Amino acid sequence: MRRQLPFVLVFLSGFFMIFQYFVPHQKSEFVYEFLLDWLTIIGGFAMALGIWSLIRVSYDRIKRQRENWGYSVITLTGLFLMMFFGITNWEDGSFGVYIYTAEGLSNSMFVHFFDFILIPIQATMFSLLAFFIASAAYRAFRARSVIASLLLLAALIVMMRFNPIFGAWIETVANWLMNVPNLAAQRAIVIGLGLGMVATALKIILGIERGYMGQG
Amino acid sequence: MTYLLRVLLTLALLTGTAVFAQGEPPAVDTTLVDTTTVAPPAPVTGLTGKDRDNDHGHAIELTWTPSVDDLENPSGARSVLRYRIMMWKPTEAYRVDTLRQMYDMVRSNYAPIRVYKPLVDSALILIDQGMVDVSALPFEVLLPEGINRTDAPAEMMKYVRKALQDTLAAMTAQVDISKDSVKVFRSNFLAAVESLPEAFNANGPSSGHGAWDSVGAEVPGATFFRHAGSKEEVSPDFLPDYADLYYRVDAATSDPAVYTASDVCGPVQASGQWYNSGRTVVLISVIIFTILTVVFVQQARRGKELYVRPLAGIEAVDDAIGRATEMGKPILYVLGLGAASDIATIASFTILSRVAKRVAEYQTQLIVPTYDPIVMTVAQEVVKSSYLDAGRPDDYNEDIVYFVTQSQFAYVAAVNGVMLRQLPATNVYMGKFYAESLILAETGALAGSIQIAGTDEIAQIPFFVVACDYTLIGEELYAASAYLGGEPVLLGSLKAQDYAKALFVVCAVAGFLTLILADATGAHWLAQFKQWFMVAD
Amino acid sequence: MKKTSVIILSGVVILFLVSWLVKGASLSGEENPYLQGFLTTFAAFLTLAVFSFLYRDNPFYKFAEHLFVGASAAYWMTLGFWQTLVKKLIPKLSDGLANFFEVPTEEHSYWYFLPVILGLLLLMRLSKKGGWLSRWPLAFIVGYTAGINFVGYLRSDFVKQVSSTFVPLLIDWQGVGHFFSNFSLAIDGQFVMMLANVVIFVGVLCGLVYFFFSKEHTGLFGTASRVGIWILMITFGASFGYTVMGRISLLVGRLTFLFKDWLGLIS
């Protein structure tokens, strides 16, 4: 029962979702939206698991003084400060229950943390892509097989499409590449992927695929 | 609530600015007004209404023949500039609207008013004492440009005061806002909604109990309007099911007073359907695909050998684990940014279980940083049972799979750190990846790791192809998952996928040929074949 | 600590302090100039710390990384708490709690205790004995999305693709004679457009052949599969090339922050 019951639940919820797809009636839609709410709420509880894991791993590192343990102190400091400002209404030394407004969380320290720590690091990490795309392009240049050369050639044509040195033909070719072979390949991938997903989903609903429950 | 305060204050202050600006000459209205009188246009004819098919109800579709004087009709007077769609609303429906507004106000004001009333009260006292520093108020006040925040003119403070008073009055005057009143308003409102269909049925336009209400407009030339109401009772657009609805369409001209109403059409009733006939082709596909899968899985179960062509990426996984063992370095397994329920992530779990089993057998180190807490939970379960299967449950510890953060680039930063500090021999990326794919794969390549990737995000496949040693392209990820799952029944579905692809090819070729024939011979009925594959939204 | 490390660290600290003071002084007239100065300098420091990773792993990057992980985890948790639990769940369960958190009350629905129970079952993972209970909420989540995906992808990635693959081979067809007398190689000419449709059609078929798993890729099948992988690679190259410009502009955005908002060198 311990092992089988979850799969019965998988089957029932999966089957209901297939069923409701063909039933537009309000009653089936109501259950669908209701279950969708459940899903987000369960997700909210799951956050606690994640935070617990983060705290446990960091604490463990500090306690055993593993390599780089000092940085785990920084992780925990960032975590607790941000949580404190996000959940309490601490401002000017007074506490209170936080007021959730339509504009979101407006505790000024919380906003400062977001604007001056999270945003800059996030944007910079993202901008690293500029360097990495360059180094990836360099890696592609050294390609020696036929298919890798095809990739490189197509990439070069599209990259240079606005370059006046090559004349107008390059833009025409680049557009053709984006509109014709690209469309064909995208469609082939989408169909394959779609069928792969559909098959996996069906295997899950029918209880054939059980790897995700830790049982092969 | 602060928002409401701000909006009202802004409004009041703009009015104030208008008062200040009174000395200036009035702006000249340059809009050309057509002073010639417009003759009433010909009416819309043939108005019919019906319930919208294949929906959850609460929607009506209207069709009509445009007025002869439509702007788009060159042979008419071209005076009809738009069509106004009118629905008959019985008096009771207007009462429900009022009840809804009051319930809404009570509901959303009850909680904030406890906090804001004292604040507004104290602000009023301050202003009465001659305070001119707006920034000292316990909420933000938006002043017109050029007015000093710390020294606003007394005139201006008068408007602030007025706005505050009005806001307070709006919040408290009409109704008694208390915990019990919320309930009373709710039950009154819901009872009225309950009786709404009866009210519609009993009071048609001929009864005179009610009025026409505009529910939308259409451009000249239009012949169709979908009145899609809301199914939520609390929404102002709520349209009841199983209620007699009457419509008419007004042909409107440039002069608001001149229009011609069509004949009334009705009664029509909206209702929800129990089967979406526009999706039959999907239902057929579901049945065919399920049968195919079940048949091939049964074949596999009975021990029939199913051939699967070798995939380079799959063989590389085993080699890479051996390499890591030889080098005494760990293996990094990245599940991507997907949720535990994303199919790509589930496929990845199956591959992870194989990797973890090998890792346990070879006694190599495994690192699995995760992005989603539920993914972490599942991955722990998967890895734990793989260690158990490999006969080494003691080697498993909870730190193999850990949570990092649910922020895309913070996760990337941390995984990059792992790659550079622990120098894994092999990095495996399987699952859902977005813009971070290239950052991860390039960092791994620079650190000298062997890299194997697979994702269903088409846009990211190119980056993995360039930066990784082996990439499972699209569907290959699912094939690998079935292949590495270690159970022959899983391969049964691969066979079903192939048959579905073959079916696709057959349909596509048939469609291609019918279109050629249709064009070449002029037999356009052949093109109907395409319609079979159209799905309703 | 090595001597060089001390020198570098003190150099960074001094630069930080100088930037803080200068930035603070330049912002006088605004509210809290020195807090603003500190925050801008700190943001610039973090930006440079992340860039330093391109050279190699170093303590500054580690600092930024660990701070980012902790703060962002808390950020998402806080958001989840307010937006999911407080906004979605609490009004359905209790007026008292809804008023406490200042969210509008709603009609109660005791069905909402079920996700709470499922959520708590998920947390049972933390206990050694009840861990197996956490599979129930998981089963619900996985089953629910598997059902949605099953029909959803069958429709969007299969049935809908069938009809969109039906492209007419003959465009603007007015007979063979007309075709040859108006023959042109222009990009928008009849011939090139028809050729494009043929390439798309054949490309899709060859791409699909590449994804056939249960047949050996030899003979004609092998040729088609090879054409398929060529088309896939051309596509990957094209979309790689297409992304390059967008990525460069991200870098420009960060450099603008450093040179404009922090150093004030460009206006």
Side-chain angles (χ1 to χ4, degrees):
Chain A
M1 145 121 165
R2 271 193 194 189
R3 293 199 144 234
Q4 290 307 319
L5 204 66
F7 291 106
V8 174
L9 193 54
V10 168
F11 177 77
L12 289 179
S13 47
F15 185 79
F16 173 76
M17 294 320 290
I18 298 175
F19 170 79
Q20 71 80 32
Y21 176 79
F22 296 103
V23 181
H25 198 275
Q26 199 177 340
K27 293 204 166 102
S28 106
E29 207 178 50
F30 174 76
V31 183
Y32 165 78
E33 283 165 7
F34 193 59
L35 294 180
L36 194 66
D37 266 359
W38 284 25
L39 217 61
T40 23
I41 291 167
I42 298 175
F45 280 91
M47 275 315 289
L49 279 181
I51 298 290
W52 172 251
S53 163
L54 183 62
I55 294 175
R56 210 179 56 86
V57 169
S58 305
Y59 175 73
D60 196 59
R61 212 170 269 166
I62 297 167
K63 202 174 80 179
R64 299 189 188 181
Q65 307 238 325
R66 295 238 183 100
E67 203 186 347
N68 289 326
W69 64 271
Y71 295 102
S72 293
V73 178
I74 294 166
T75 302
L76 290 182
T77 314
L79 179 82
F80 287 123
L81 274 180
M82 194 80 175
M83 268 205 294
F84 176 75
F85 293 128
I87 295 202
T88 66
N89 183 27
W90 184 81
E91 232 164 320
D92 310 326
S94 63
F95 289 88
V97 167
Y98 196 78
I99 299 162
Y100 184 82
T101 63
E103 295 99 293
L105 301 168
S106 62
N107 179 314
S108 68
M109 282 309 282
F110 188 81
V111 175
H112 283 331
F113 257 66
F114 183 73
D115 287 348
F116 292 96
I117 295 177
L118 293 187
I119 290 291
I121 306 187
Q122 183 167 320
T124 315
M125 283 304 297
F126 200 11
S127 74
L128 288 180
L129 274 171
F131 295 100
F132 284 137
I133 206 157
S135 74
Y138 171 72
R139 203 179 301 283
F141 275 120
R142 296 180 310 175
R144 257 160 287 175
S145 66
V146 179
I147 55 171
S149 317
L150 275 175
L151 185 145
L152 178 65
L153 189 69
L156 280 177
I157 292 175
V158 176
M159 251 189 271
M160 301 293 162
R161 66 190 183 283
F162 297 129
N163 196 325
I165 300 173
F166 299 98
W169 66 271
I170 195 157
E171 203 184 333
T172 315
V173 174
N175 284 339
W176 190 82
L177 281 181
M178 294 305 293
N179 293 332
V180 179
N182 184 37
L183 186 71
Q186 297 266 0
R187 189 166 291 154
I189 298 177
V190 159
I191 294 164
L193 261 179
L195 287 173
M197 285 195 261
V198 166
T200 314
L202 185 63
K203 283 190 283 183
I204 292 167
I205 297 169
L206 297 179
I208 298 167
E209 165 83 67
R210 299 185 165 201
Y212 65 94
M213 285 274 189
Q215 16 192 296
Chain B
M1 197 56 216
T2 17
Y3 174 73
L4 183 66
L5 273 174
R6 278 182 209 171
V7 170
L8 284 170
L9 282 174
T10 320
L11 205 67
L13 292 172
L14 287 177
T15 330
T17 333
V19 175
F20 279 124
Q22 260 176 359
E24 293 170 28
V28 181
D29 189 0
T30 52
T31 333
L32 283 174
V33 180
D34 189 0
T35 46
T36 54
T37 44
V38 189
V44 158
T45 50
L47 176 66
T48 54
K50 68 172 186 60
D51 176 40
R52 186 186 168 201
D53 255 348
N54 297 330
D55 70 349
H56 63 209
H58 310 285
I60 294 287
E61 288 178 342
L62 300 170
T63 44
W64 63 84
T65 314
S67 157
V68 178
D69 298 323
D70 191 292
L71 183 67
E72 303 283 313
N73 180 15
S75 53
R78 305 192 68 187
S79 57
V80 176
L81 300 185
R82 65 186 193 121
Y83 294 108
R84 216 168 33 218
I85 291 78
M86 310 294 285
M87 187 187 78
W88 176 259
K89 257 171 104 171
T91 319
E92 177 67 13
Y94 288 100
R95 197 175 78 87
V96 168
D97 285 348
T98 316
L99 286 174
R100 177 185 294 116
Q101 280 168 11
M102 293 174 78
Y103 166 54
D104 216 37
M105 199 182 79
V106 177
R107 187 173 75 105
S108 51
N109 282 357
Y110 171 48
I113 200 163
R114 281 189 13 245
V115 178
Y116 281 100
K117 191 169 179 304
L119 292 181
V120 174
D121 281 342
S122 63
L124 285 175
I125 295 171
L126 285 175
I127 294 172
D128 285 344
Q129 288 168 352
M131 185 203 63
V132 286
D133 183 356
V134 174
S135 53
L137 290 175
F139 31 73
E140 199 183 341
V141 174
L142 302 171
L143 291 182
E145 264 179 61
I147 305 278
N148 193 341
R149 297 182 58 79
T150 50
D151 189 16
E155 209 47 18
M156 190 54 84
M157 290 316 286
K158 241 167 60 189
Y159 287 101
V160 173
R161 190 178 192 288
K162 175 94 176 45
L164 285 173
Q165 275 178 332
D166 289 351
T167 312
L168 246 191
M171 287 197 289
T172 52
Q174 300 176 19
V175 284
D176 154 48
I177 295 179
S178 69
K179 188 174 172 179
D180 290 331
S181 70
V182 177
K183 281 188 182 147
V184 172
F185 275 95
R186 178 156 56 213
S187 59
N188 282 351
F189 167 62
L190 290 177
V193 168
E194 194 89 348
S195 64
L196 208 45
E198 284 166 38
F200 269 97
N201 296 348
N203 302 299
S206 53
S207 72
H209 297 297
W212 290 98
D213 188 30
S214 167
V215 291
E218 272 300 337
V219 290
T223 59
F224 175 82
F225 179 76
R226 179 176 294 155
H227 182 207
S230 171
K231 68 182 164 96
E232 306 289 345
E233 291 97 345
V234 287
S235 160
D237 300 329
F238 174 70
L239 188 69
D241 273 350
Y242 303 110
D244 284 346
L245 305 172
Y246 297 86
Y247 289 89
R248 71 162 212 243
V249 175
D250 291 352
T253 60
S254 60
D255 184 347
V258 180
Y259 63 88
T260 311
S262 70
D263 289 341
V264 173
C265 103
V268 280
Q269 290 196 340
S271 65
Q273 280 73 45
W274 286 102
Y275 175 67
N276 189 335
S277 57
R279 290 178 173 176
T280 304
V281 57
V282 179
L283 183 65
I284 294 170
S285 320
V286 166
I287 293 169
I288 293 176
F289 198 78
T290 310
I291 291 174
L292 280 176
T293 308
V294 170
V295 165
F296 286 112
V297 165
Q298 282 305 328
Q299 278 190 5
R301 211 164 252 164
R302 272 190 246 112
K304 191 176 173 193
E305 282 283 317
L306 297 176
Y307 173 81
V308 173
R309 78 173 161 88
L311 287 170
I314 294 180
E315 285 157 16
V317 171
D318 277 345
D319 291 349
I321 298 170
R323 179 174 177 260
T325 317
E326 278 167 30
M327 295 168 73
K329 284 182 174 178
I331 289 175
L332 174 70
Y333 194 101
V334 183
L335 285 150
L337 302 191
S341 47
D342 276 321
I343 308 282
T345 317
I346 289 181
S348 183
F349 286 139
T350 311
I351 301 174
L352 172 65
S353 78
R354 163 75 161 246
V355 170
K357 203 166 156 185
R358 279 292 148 85
V359 161
E361 283 164 3
Y362 288 118
Q363 291 182 293
T364 312
Q365 196 196 337
L366 179 65
I367 309 170
V368 189
T370 56
Y371 168 83
D372 178 291
I374 300 182
V375 169
M376 172 196 77
T377 313
V378 179
Q380 281 174 343
E381 197 77 14
V382 166
V383 172
K384 198 174 178 177
S385 59
S386 298
Y387 273 69
L388 199 72
D389 285 350
R392 298 190 190 276
D394 296 339
D395 288 353
Y396 173 77
N397 72 66
E398 288 275 304
D399 293 350
I400 293 178
V401 182
Y402 59 94
F403 175 77
V404 182
T405 169
Q406 217 157 8
S407 153
Q408 184 183 15
F409 288 103
Y411 177 72
V412 175
V415 175
N416 273 357
V418 171
M419 285 185 207
L420 295 178
R421 278 159 228 150
Q422 312 205 22
L423 298 171
T426 308
N427 303 330
V428 185
Y429 312 101
M430 299 278 172
K432 269 210 170 312
F433 291 86
Y434 301 97
E436 75 285 356
S437 63
L438 186 64
I439 303 186
L440 292 174
E442 269 300 305
T443 310
L446 295 173
S449 312
I450 292 270
Q451 306 201 90
I452 306 162
T455 182
D456 66 345
E457 277 301 312
I458 300 177
Q460 304 308 324
I461 298 175
F463 305 118
F464 279 141
V465 168
V466 169
C468 292
D469 301 273
Y470 299 96
T471 306
L472 297 170
I473 298 168
E475 194 183 1
E476 290 180 334
L477 169 67
Y478 297 105
S481 159
Y483 194 85
L484 289 173
E487 276 196 58
V489 285
L490 291 177
L491 291 177
S493 67
L494 272 186
K495 203 88 181 166
Q497 279 161 252
D498 278 359
Y499 270 83
K501 267 172 275 182
L503 193 68
F504 179 93
V505 172
V506 171
C507 291
V509 171
F512 199 64
L513 292 179
T514 51
L515 283 180
I516 292 179
L517 278 175
D519 282 342
T521 64
H524 288 290
W525 56 271
L526 277 169
Q528 284 296 316
F529 184 57
K530 189 171 178 169
Q531 295 301 320
W532 294 3
F533 296 91
M534 293 303 199
V535 192
D537 281 320
Chain C
M1 239 194 268
K2 273 188 287 182
K3 204 172 157 190
T4 40
S5 317
V6 177
I7 295 172
I8 292 174
L9 187 65
S10 32
V12 170
V13 169
I14 291 169
L15 278 177
F16 190 96
L17 290 174
V18 169
S19 158
W20 178 4
L21 295 175
V22 171
K23 193 78 202 166
S26 75
L27 289 171
S28 62
E30 285 182 36
E31 234 177 295
N32 297 331
Y34 285 94
L35 177 66
Q36 289 296 323
F38 174 80
L39 289 170
T40 311
T41 306
F42 195 54
F45 163 73
L46 291 173
T47 303
L48 292 172
V50 173
F51 277 138
S52 75
F53 157 84
L54 288 169
Y55 169 60
R56 68 164 189 229
D57 192 27
N58 63 70
F60 299 113
Y61 175 72
K62 284 185 205 164
F63 173 83
E65 172 204 321
H66 284 82
L67 182 67
F68 190 22
V69 167
S72 67
Y75 175 78
W76 287 103
M77 200 214 81
T78 318
L79 233 57
F81 174 74
W82 289 106
Q83 290 188 337
T84 312
L85 300 185
V86 173
K87 213 173 162 189
K88 278 215 150 110
L89 181 64
I90 280 178
K92 305 273 190 197
L93 298 183
S94 147
D95 279 349
L97 276 175
N99 295 330
F100 180 74
F101 285 110
E102 316 296 348
V103 281
T105 55
E106 280 175 44
E107 202 170 354
H108 287 187
S109 165
Y110 294 103
W111 283 103
Y112 277 80
F113 276 111
L114 269 167
V116 174
I117 293 170
L118 286 175
L120 292 175
L121 284 182
L122 196 66
L123 297 185
M124 290 299 281
R125 261 210 65 78
L126 298 174
S127 102
K128 281 223 157 61
K129 270 193 175 164
W132 59 277
L133 283 169
S134 69
R135 287 185 179 164
W136 292 4
L138 203 64
F140 168 70
I141 297 172
V142 170
Y144 178 95
T145 29
I148 290 192
N149 286 330
F150 181 53
V151 278
Y153 286 115
L154 202 53
R155 171 198 163 185
S156 68
D157 288 12
F158 188 75
V159 179
K160 280 201 154 183
Q161 298 301 328
V162 176
S163 54
S164 38
T165 310
F166 291 2
V167 283
L169 172 64
L170 310 176
I171 296 165
D172 190 21
W173 190 251
Q174 292 164 35
V176 183
H178 178 268
F179 175 74
F180 281 108
S181 55
N182 290 291
F183 188 82
S184 107
L185 277 174
I187 191 77
D188 51 356
Q190 191 185 12
F191 173 70
V192 176
M193 301 257 274
M194 279 165 54
L195 186 71
N197 277 355
V198 173
V199 171
I200 290 176
F201 188 73
V202 173
V204 172
L205 296 196
C206 291
L208 277 181
V209 167
Y210 172 78
F211 286 119
F212 259 81
F213 298 107
S214 54
K215 192 167 163 32
E216 251 175 297
H217 288 184
T218 49
L220 185 65
F221 210 69
T223 316
S225 150
R226 212 157 32 249
V227 174
I229 188 72
W230 288 349
I231 293 184
L232 289 180
M233 284 299 160
I234 290 174
T235 299
F236 294 152
S239 66
F240 185 92
Y242 199 75
T243 326
V244 171
M245 289 315 279
R247 299 303 188 228
I248 304 286
S249 68
L250 293 171
L251 181 62
V252 173
R254 269 342 268 166
L255 295 179
T256 313
F257 165 75
L258 286 179
F259 289 109
K260 189 178 157 203
D261 297 348
W262 179 46
L263 296 175
L265 291 179
I266 47 177
S267 50

